[in-house]
Amino acid sequence: MAGTAPAIMLDTSNVSSDHTAPSTTAQSQDMLSPMTPTKSNYDGQTLHSRSPSVQTNISRDRSNSNRTYVQQSDLQIESPEEALRPDPGNEKDFVRENNPFAFTPGQLNKLLNPKSLSAFVALGGPQGIEKGLRTSLTAGLSVDEQKVDGRVTYEDATTIDKKSAYSATPVAAEGVTAREVKGQFEDRLRIYGDNRLPERKPDSIWVLIWRAYNDKILILLSIAAAISLALGLYETFSVGHGVEWIEGVAIIVAITIVVTVGAANDWQKERQFAKLNKRKDDREVKVIRSGRTIQVSVYDITAGDIMHLEPGDAVPADGIFVSGHGVKCDESSATGESDQMKKTPAIEVWQAIQDGTATKKMDPFIISGSKVLEGVGTFVVTSVGVNSSFGKIMMSLQTANEDTPLQVKLGGLANWIGGLGSSAAILLFFILLFKFLGALSGNPGTSAEKASEFLDILIVAITVIVVAVPEGLPLAVTLALAFATTRMFKENNLVRVLRACETMGNATTICSDKTGTLTQNKMTVVAGTIGVDQSFASSHTEQEKAVASFSSVFGNLSRKARDLVKASIALNSTAFEGEEKGVPTFIGSKTETALLNMAKEHLGLDGLAAERANANTVQLIPFDSKRKCMGVVYEIEGGYRMLVKGAAEIMLGNATQTVADIYTENLATKPMTGEDKERLAATIEDYAQHSLRTIGMLYRDFPQWPPAGAKRMEDDKNMAEFDDVFVDMTWVGLVGIHDPLRPGVIEAVNQCRTSGVVVRMVTGDNITTARAIATECGILRPEDNALVMEGPKFRQLNDAEMDEVIPRLRVLARSSPEDKRILVGKLKAKGETVAVTGDGTNDGPALKMADVGFSMGIAGTEVAKEASAIILLDDNFASTITALMWGRAVNDAVKKFLQFQITVNITAVILTFISAISSSENASVLTAVQLLWVNLIMDTLAALALATDPPTQKILERPPQKKSEALITHNMWKMITGQAVYQLVVSLVLYFAGMQIFGYGPERRQELDTIVFNTFVWMQIFNEFNNRRLDNKFNIFEGIHRNFWFIGINCIMVGGQIMIIFVGGAAFRIVRLDGIQWVICILCALPCMLWAILIRCLPDRYFGAAFDATINGLAVVLRPINKVLHIIFHPVAQVFRAIGRGTKRIFGKGKKNDVDDSEKGIGAVSSTPMPTVFTTAPTKTVPEVKIN
């Protein structure tokens, strides 16, 4: 195609006034949407206006002589050349080689960039778009399409022959399923693409290695190691012997291994989360292909598809509204406009343009990223993926991912620990430096040897910092989250927001929906009443009552009564006919499909599409959760009829008459008496007590529509305000719908009770039904003294009354989404960690407000899914237990690693400090290379081992942690302190007294140092087993056979340690050990497991009292010292900060951009935070850490 559209002049030579308006009657029984685009009588030669006004309203803008437009009413239509002119920078979108379609992606983009009726006209209106995209506005794309034969030019599309309109409509195929659409539309996908956004190119392993190495401490250590290597080589070549250079090489190799392993973890983690993000964004959407409605992946939508619009949908692609009723969209996320945008079908807009009555307010445009608030309909897709307006926005918003709260908290803790370790390292360096300088005058060594000694001191101090900084803490969270979210997906929990995974572990209450969550959402009509007293029931319900069967009641209904009930069900519904797994079925709300199935079995409903096609619908009133009902208005002989169905008690309250003589052809009505209302109310109550959902049906006839004197809708004067006409209704009847409890719900509710989690049911059902279901599933128990309340009463309570009621509240019936939001807010204000389930559009605020929002993967609207943090793929309440288990597992994994990490930190730093100071050679018993191996064990390998423990059922047997609870508990400090004491005692005894105990001479000092190193590492390996439990129970091997990661990592650690002892040699400054020495090492290390049993026997409350007293005493002593140091060093710190700020202003801009780029992870196009691994350098600022 050329870069711009061919010039098209308005054809006004054959203008006539005999234009026939489109018929409002559907003309195809294949129609699957509430309204079908119809075959209008357009001009046979051109689709341009045939209105006489066109001749008199062509003008030229004097300020721009190249712009020609048609002015009709307040609407200005630009010329096709101007309307489809490429924007600068987008010219490539207007060029496609071998394009068999009439339009390029760029030309279609002009419809919505911004909304342009001029582009709509330039593309030939609805029929031009239909022909240009080679689709059908009624039947959609053909499932058989692969390559497209021939070519449709721009002129062909915008000049349509009347006889050829719709001639290419695909024929409905039998057995059309979503599976058949895969691998098709070759030419269409080549030109327009699919609905995927290109993934951001992942960073290579080399980039990740550089990022892991880009740490100041590691760089400083590398420089020192390089200098040490250079001096060692100098000594070796100058003297002719010695292997001093080996340590420098060993340190560099150790750094390389640490960095590579960290980068490999980062690489694997990013790919795991990239897979999860793909799953998170994928969903099923409803499209019409070959005349049948099927469900396909949102990624498989392409230009030309006909998509359904329903309340709660998040629009996945740009398009033109084809047909429907009362569709209003929230486009604030796409355009910033907060107003609800009412959509006008493209046929009507086109007709208005031809008639010269179009206005700027006419809006047939469907924008991707918008939300459907009301109404139902269909639209033709014009732009997908990167070509859609929302896709362009998302491509420009690929940003770095945020850390989760636990990562942030652990990052602060890592800084705090690193600060303490760095302080110890700096103190060690200066002590050793002063010793070195003091002995320098008597040192007989060469200059190179003296420089080497100084470098050894520096390297040991830097290595202590490397060991002290616990960069593995945030890594542990990342690994735990990656492992948990992957396993949760397999168990029907799709985590959209990672922080929810860790938060759910501490949930204290769950506010759950009833329908589809606690129940199966497999609804069946089992009882009902026509009129006041003609009751019927299925054979397995209400056996104690003498009620008629379905067939005996419906079989004897008069034709008028039967048609009335059938219309109340078929026309007043948004469900439609479709296929699931190749089986014809009704698709939509389960309540509506239950009613439709009843109508199909007992009322002779043969074809839902045909039933609707034969009715001239003039207004749809979509379901509203506040008024609990929905309605439809259609034309009947001599007037119009409004049908309304909804919550039975609300319907009864609006009824003033009831049907009578339902078995005769003279269907009549009679006034509803007080006795009739009492009888029906008792029936509703009886159904509710049997856990049945009750739906009432009403109707009212009008001589005209809108009725005379009725209030009109502001945005459409042809529509009446529902509340204004919803009076003086006639009662048709009611039905009771049974929805059985889901298998496992009773056990899940009981498990929540055991876990200390309070389950509350928030439902729109009436209070009797809600109470019956809550009692059945165990939410309501007599011993709880629980409250059951209705939403209208709940929202009228003042704050004090709510605070008194909420702790006992277990069921909130007849609740609105606002009631749920209020309840969630009050619970959070009371310090609760609140989880909420929801499936409707109006549940969005409550899902957003909750600490963890669960949406339904099957029944949930797209708005609810976007507002939620976790999607329950099976809509099952029992799946929240899975989230609870894995949430606790994530928190436990972090605490296990934290307990292990701090123990190693304390032991390694103190042992290095004491041994280096006491050594006459200023050398630590643990060399720099040995410390780096220990650092690799305690950071990366231990994080992998401890973060992958799957949860057991026993993890649910404890109460949730409060939000205020400390990260490190008394029980953890008890184990940290106890193990650190044991390891230090063993290591120091071996170091200082080992020569005398084993009878070694001075020449065997290196053997003893090797024993100390080997024993120290084996103590860490055995202590890792101790840290698999955080409680005071003794079985540390529970479930270990199910954690292959733990087993594998420990095999690597054991194998690595054995190999180091046997072949480490000069690099690690060790010697090989014999069998007796190996036994000594193992026997010294193994008792740490027995010691852990003794530690667990010490009551937490006694240790806690002693620990708190010690901490408080140290605080009293250190506080004055801290103040003095602050007074002394604060001015110096201010000077350095000022220098730092000046440096940043001069050099920081470029660096900042580099850092920002380097910190961005895989570019998942979503707001879902994905944690990143970062190395925390020690800082002078020590955050406040709560120690309990």
Side-chain angles (χ1 to χ4, degrees):
M1 288 292 295
T4 59
I8 294 182
M9 300 305 294
L10 292 176
D11 179 10
T12 59
S13 60
N14 56 354
V15 172
S16 65
S17 58
D18 60 352
H19 186 83
T20 305
S23 170
T24 57
T25 304
Q27 303 193 21
S28 172
Q29 292 191 359
D30 290 329
M31 181 275 300
L32 294 171
S33 58
M35 246 187 109
T36 306
T38 54
K39 304 175 185 178
S40 306
N41 294 323
Y42 291 98
D43 180 8
Q45 298 301 318
T46 177
L47 278 176
H48 299 302
S49 175
R50 292 176 56 87
S51 170
S53 62
V54 176
Q55 288 181 306
T56 58
N57 285 320
I58 297 178
S59 62
R60 185 172 298 272
D61 188 343
R62 293 183 181 179
S63 62
N64 185 347
S65 59
N66 294 323
R67 174 174 296 182
T68 303
Y69 58 85
V70 180
Q71 184 172 351
Q72 300 175 334
S73 184
D74 65 341
L75 179 66
Q76 294 180 344
I77 301 296
E78 296 175 326
S79 67
E81 298 95 325
E82 187 64 31
L84 300 181
R85 187 187 302 278
D87 295 322
N90 294 332
E91 290 84 359
K92 64 181 185 302
D93 293 337
F94 288 74
V95 179
R96 288 292 185 272
E97 296 296 329
N98 301 319
N99 187 359
F101 304 98
F103 311 124
T104 62
Q107 290 172 325
L108 292 170
N109 288 347
K110 295 295 288 186
L111 289 167
L112 289 159
N113 190 23
K115 296 176 184 178
S116 172
L117 286 175
S118 296
F120 177 70
V121 171
L123 295 176
Q127 281 191 308
I129 292 171
E130 178 187 43
K131 188 170 184 181
L133 289 176
R134 306 183 75 165
T135 184
S136 165
L137 299 184
T138 52
L141 299 176
S142 170
V143 295
D144 300 320
E145 178 186 320
Q146 292 179 340
K147 286 193 173 183
V148 180
D149 296 329
R151 181 188 178 194
V152 176
T153 66
Y154 182 92
E155 291 79 5
D156 293 336
T158 54
T159 306
I160 299 178
D161 181 53
K162 177 180 173 181
K163 296 180 181 179
S164 66
Y166 296 94
S167 62
T169 299
V171 179
E174 291 296 328
V176 176
T177 63
R179 202 180 320 172
E180 293 179 73
V181 303
K182 294 186 182 296
Q184 299 176 351
F185 311 121
E186 182 178 334
D187 278 338
R188 197 173 294 273
L189 293 176
R190 177 175 61 84
I191 299 299
Y192 299 113
D194 59 15
N195 203 31
R196 289 175 174 85
L197 294 178
E199 295 180 20
R200 183 173 173 182
K201 186 179 179 181
D203 293 323
S204 68
I205 188 67
W206 304 110
V207 172
L208 294 173
I209 288 174
W210 171 249
R211 192 178 299 161
Y213 177 72
N214 200 12
D215 175 74
K216 294 175 183 177
I217 304 301
L218 286 179
I219 292 173
L220 189 60
L221 186 59
S222 302
I223 294 171
I227 297 173
S228 175
L229 173 62
L231 288 172
L233 291 172
Y234 172 76
E235 288 184 31
T236 299
F237 291 120
S238 62
V239 179
H241 62 83
V243 289
E244 287 77 5
W245 59 270
I246 290 179
E247 184 176 32
V249 172
I251 293 173
I252 293 172
V253 170
I255 291 172
T256 303
I257 293 173
V258 169
V259 167
T260 303
V261 172
N265 273 329
D266 204 4
W267 183 82
Q268 187 234 11
K269 176 265 302 180
E270 287 190 344
R271 273 146 189 80
Q272 276 186 319
F273 283 120
K275 289 179 183 177
L276 284 172
N277 278 323
K278 286 181 183 177
R279 295 168 183 161
K280 170 184 68 66
D281 294 331
D282 195 9
R283 55 187 167 95
E284 296 287 304
V285 293
K286 298 168 188 170
V287 300
I288 300 175
R289 288 183 180 171
S290 289
R292 292 178 180 268
T293 295
I294 58 174
Q295 292 184 313
V296 301
S297 167
V298 71
Y299 294 141
D300 293 332
I301 301 167
T302 188
D305 261 321
I306 305 298
M307 292 195 63
H308 281 279
L309 292 171
E310 295 177 4
D313 282 353
V315 180
D318 292 339
I320 298 297
F321 184 40
V322 173
S323 66
H325 281 283
V327 173
K328 293 183 179 178
C329 293
D330 173 10
E331 298 177 351
S332 57
S333 61
T335 65
E337 290 289 339
S338 58
D339 295 337
Q340 296 182 10
M341 306 301 293
K342 179 173 171 49
K343 301 301 173 181
T344 308
I347 297 284
E348 294 182 21
V349 176
W350 180 253
Q351 184 61 53
I353 292 174
Q354 309 311 302
D355 296 339
T357 59
T359 66
K360 292 179 180 178
K361 291 185 178 181
M362 285 190 160
D363 184 0
F365 304 107
I366 303 295
I367 301 182
S368 55
S370 61
K371 314 291 190 305
V372 181
L373 301 176
E374 296 179 12
V376 292
T378 59
F379 76 100
V380 57
V381 175
T382 57
S383 298
V384 294
V386 293
N387 294 316
S388 68
S389 53
F390 192 65
K392 292 179 182 295
I393 293 173
M394 295 308 294
M395 288 297 292
S396 66
L397 292 179
Q398 290 184 339
T399 57
N401 298 289
E402 300 174 3
D403 293 326
T404 70
L406 191 56
Q407 280 184 308
V408 173
K409 188 185 292 186
L410 287 175
L413 182 62
N415 280 341
W416 181 71
I417 296 172
L420 293 178
S422 300
S423 300
I426 292 169
L427 181 61
L428 173 64
F429 173 75
F430 281 110
I431 291 174
L432 296 180
L433 179 62
F434 292 149
K435 285 182 63 181
F436 170 74
L437 293 175
L440 191 60
S441 59
N443 190 335
T446 64
S447 299
E449 289 173 343
K450 292 175 183 178
S452 181
E453 286 181 32
F454 172 77
L455 272 179
D456 288 342
I457 294 172
L458 179 63
I459 288 172
V460 168
I462 295 172
T463 308
V464 168
I465 296 177
V466 173
V467 174
V469 174
E471 62 268 23
L473 284 181
L475 174 63
V477 190
T478 302
L479 293 172
L481 286 170
F483 184 69
T485 50
T486 303
R487 294 292 295 272
M488 285 173 71
F489 179 78
K490 295 177 181 178
E491 298 181 39
N492 296 315
N493 279 253
L494 176 56
V495 179
R496 297 185 68 255
V497 182
L498 287 177
R499 68 181 65 204
C501 187
E502 62 193 43
T503 305
M504 185 59 196
N506 297 321
T508 58
T509 184
I510 301 175
C511 298
S512 175
D513 277 350
K514 177 186 76 67
T515 304
T517 308
L518 297 172
T519 60
Q520 294 182 28
N521 205 19
K522 293 180 180 178
M523 299 192 182
T524 309
V525 178
V526 296
T529 301
I530 302 297
V532 175
D533 53 6
Q534 299 301 309
S535 297
F536 56 90
S538 57
S539 58
H540 61 278
T541 61
E542 300 191 7
Q543 295 175 355
E544 72 280 8
K545 296 185 179 181
V547 294
S549 65
F550 279 76
S551 57
S552 63
V553 172
F554 289 121
N556 293 320
L557 286 178
S558 66
R559 183 184 58 82
K560 288 185 177 180
R562 178 190 295 267
D563 290 346
L564 175 61
V565 177
K566 184 165 64 173
S568 295
I569 294 171
L571 300 184
N572 191 13
S573 171
T574 57
F576 54 89
E577 291 170 317
E579 291 184 356
E580 288 184 352
K581 299 179 181 177
V583 179
T585 186
F586 294 112
I587 299 174
S589 161
K590 297 302 180 182
T591 302
E592 294 186 9
T593 58
L595 290 167
L596 288 169
N597 282 320
M598 182 190 74
K600 184 176 182 180
E601 294 171 9
H602 301 288
L603 293 171
L605 178 62
D606 293 329
L608 180 59
E611 191 76 26
R612 292 175 180 167
N614 292 328
N616 182 17
T617 302
V618 296
Q619 183 170 347
L620 280 177
I621 300 99
F623 179 81
D624 187 282
S625 58
K626 294 180 180 178
R627 58 182 175 236
K628 305 290 184 188
C629 65
M630 63 189 297
V632 64
V633 182
Y634 68 104
E635 191 174 359
I636 61 174
E637 187 177 351
Y640 296 85
R641 175 168 289 172
M642 181 171 73
L643 303 172
V644 181
K645 78 168 186 281
E649 64 272 23
I650 295 177
M651 298 298 99
L652 183 59
N654 284 273
T656 57
Q657 299 185 85
T658 180
V659 294
D661 300 329
I662 60 174
Y663 298 120
T664 67
E665 286 302 322
N666 298 319
L667 180 64
T669 62
K670 66 175 185 178
M672 183 174 284
T673 64
E675 183 180 346
D676 292 338
K677 285 206 171 189
E678 289 178 7
R679 183 169 184 171
L680 287 169
T683 303
I684 294 169
E685 180 76 10
D686 183 51
Y687 288 172
Q689 288 178 354
H690 286 82
S691 303
L692 303 184
R693 167 174 283 190
T694 55
I695 302 296
M697 293 176 283
L698 308 175
Y699 84 97
R700 183 183 173 189
D701 291 338
F702 298 89
Q704 66 180 64
W705 194 264
K711 186 178 179 181
R712 310 290 182 94
M713 295 179 66
E714 290 185 5
D715 52 1
D716 191 341
K717 298 303 180 181
N718 292 323
M719 304 290 180
E721 284 284 357
F722 175 70
D723 293 334
D724 198 48
V725 295
F726 187 40
V727 292
D728 298 329
M729 303 296 293
T730 301
W731 176 265
V732 177
L734 73 99
V735 293
I737 301 176
H738 183 237
D739 187 11
L741 284 181
R742 281 186 176 274
V745 161
I746 296 175
E747 294 79 4
V749 172
N750 187 55
Q751 184 63 72
C752 284
R753 184 181 291 269
T754 304
S755 303
V757 181
V758 176
V759 181
R760 293 176 168 88
M761 188 170 80
V762 185
T763 179
D765 276 345
N766 69 50
I767 194 167
T768 308
T769 305
R771 188 192 301 273
I773 294 289
T775 302
E776 187 178 353
C777 66
I779 293 175
L780 276 181
R781 294 191 180 184
E783 64 269 20
D784 290 342
N785 190 27
L787 285 178
V788 179
M789 186 174 286
E790 289 186 322
K793 293 182 180 179
F794 174 75
R795 71 179 77 113
Q796 291 174 2
L797 300 176
N798 58 40
D799 290 343
E801 290 170 334
M802 279 192 181
D803 290 340
E804 182 181 349
V805 162
I806 284 176
R808 294 170 53 211
L809 183 66
R810 292 296 180 272
V811 178
L812 191 60
R814 279 288 171 244
S815 62
S816 68
E818 180 63 15
D819 297 328
K820 184 185 287 190
R821 190 192 65 79
I822 292 171
L823 176 61
V824 172
K826 289 293 182 182
L827 286 168
K828 289 185 68 175
K830 295 176 76 68
E832 303 271 6
T833 302
V834 186
V836 170
T837 69
D839 57 6
T841 303
N842 291 329
D843 288 325
L847 290 169
K848 273 288 187 186
M849 177 178 284
D851 295 292
V852 183
F854 289 91
S855 63
M856 304 297 112
I858 300 172
T861 64
E862 295 309 318
V863 173
K865 291 175 185 177
E866 287 191 6
S868 66
I870 299 175
I871 299 176
L872 300 180
L873 299 177
D874 59 352
D875 288 13
N876 195 342
F877 178 81
S879 295
T880 61
I881 301 297
T882 302
L884 184 66
M885 288 177 62
W886 280 102
R888 292 188 176 187
V890 168
N891 286 296
D892 282 3
V894 172
K895 289 191 172 187
K896 290 172 186 177
F897 178 72
L898 185 59
Q899 185 172 283
F900 175 79
Q901 172 103 61
I902 294 178
T903 304
V904 184
N905 269 13
I906 293 173
T907 311
V909 171
I910 293 178
L911 179 60
T912 303
F913 191 93
I914 293 176
S915 60
I917 291 176
S918 62
S919 170
S920 59
E921 299 177 354
N922 296 333
S924 165
V925 64
L926 299 177
T927 66
V929 181
Q930 292 171 9
L931 285 171
L932 287 173
W933 166 240
V934 171
N935 185 64
L936 181 65
I937 290 175
M938 75 178 191
D939 274 345
T940 305
L941 298 181
L944 276 169
L946 293 172
T948 52
D949 252 341
T952 63
Q953 201 67 24
K954 292 183 179 180
I955 204 171
L956 297 173
E957 295 177 0
R958 65 171 193 248
Q961 296 177 355
K962 296 180 180 178
K963 290 181 179 179
S964 58
E965 188 165 337
L967 191 60
I968 308 177
T969 63
H970 279 152
N971 184 279
M972 293 171 63
W973 277 120
K974 182 177 70 174
M975 185 59 67
I976 291 168
T977 307
Q979 284 295 329
V981 168
Y982 175 84
Q983 293 181 19
L984 282 172
V985 168
V986 170
S987 300
L988 292 175
V989 166
L990 286 175
Y991 178 71
F992 287 108
M995 302 289 284
Q996 292 77 17
I997 294 173
F998 305 128
Y1000 290 173
E1003 71 282 357
R1004 303 185 68 182
R1005 181 76 225 183
Q1006 195 170 14
E1007 289 182 39
L1008 183 64
D1009 288 349
T1010 303
I1011 291 174
V1012 173
F1013 164 63
N1014 196 30
T1015 303
F1016 181 83
V1017 171
W1018 279 98
M1019 283 191 289
Q1020 310 316 318
I1021 293 172
F1022 290 134
N1023 189 41
E1024 192 180 3
F1025 288 83
N1026 289 329
N1027 286 286
R1028 291 190 71 246
R1029 288 204 83 103
L1030 292 171
D1031 53 23
N1032 287 322
K1033 296 179 180 179
F1034 298 150
N1035 185 7
I1036 58 176
F1037 300 104
E1038 182 180 0
I1040 196 171
H1041 62 284
R1042 294 187 294 116
N1043 190 351
F1044 298 109
W1045 277 96
F1046 186 89
I1047 296 171
I1049 293 298
N1050 275 276
C1051 289
I1052 292 173
M1053 289 163 61
V1054 169
Q1057 181 63 19
I1058 293 172
M1059 186 178 68
I1060 286 171
I1061 295 300
F1062 277 97
V1063 300
F1068 282 81
R1069 290 188 184 179
I1070 56 175
V1071 295
R1072 287 192 179 188
L1073 300 180
D1074 57 29
I1076 299 297
Q1077 291 169 329
W1078 269 102
V1079 170
I1080 292 171
C1081 294
I1082 300 300
L1083 289 179
C1084 287
L1086 190 59
C1088 74
M1089 289 185 168
L1090 301 175
W1091 179 248
I1093 295 175
L1094 296 177
I1095 294 172
R1096 288 187 167 99
C1097 291
L1098 177 64
D1100 289 348
R1101 62 180 183 276
Y1102 295 148
F1103 174 82
F1107 184 79
D1108 289 344
T1110 303
I1111 293 297
N1112 291 334
L1114 287 173
V1116 170
V1117 173
L1118 295 177
R1119 193 172 291 118
I1121 299 175
N1122 182 56
K1123 288 184 177 179
V1124 172
L1125 292 175
H1126 179 76
I1127 293 171
I1128 296 173
F1129 292 105
H1130 181 66
V1132 179
Q1134 291 289 90
V1135 171
F1136 278 107
R1137 286 195 190 101
I1139 295 172
R1141 283 193 295 268
T1143 306
K1144 282 183 180 179
R1145 288 193 186 99
I1146 299 171
F1147 303 105
K1149 187 173 181 181
K1151 285 189 175 183
K1152 183 177 187 301
N1153 291 337
D1154 293 341
V1155 171
D1156 287 346
D1157 289 338
S1158 69
E1159 287 178 353
K1160 292 182 182 179
I1162 295 290
V1165 184
S1166 70
S1167 60
T1168 305
M1170 184 167 65
T1172 53
V1173 178
F1174 59 92
T1175 302
T1176 309
T1179 60
K1180 293 184 180 181
T1181 57
V1182 181
E1184 182 180 353
V1185 177
K1186 184 172 182 179
I1187 299 175
N1188 190 9

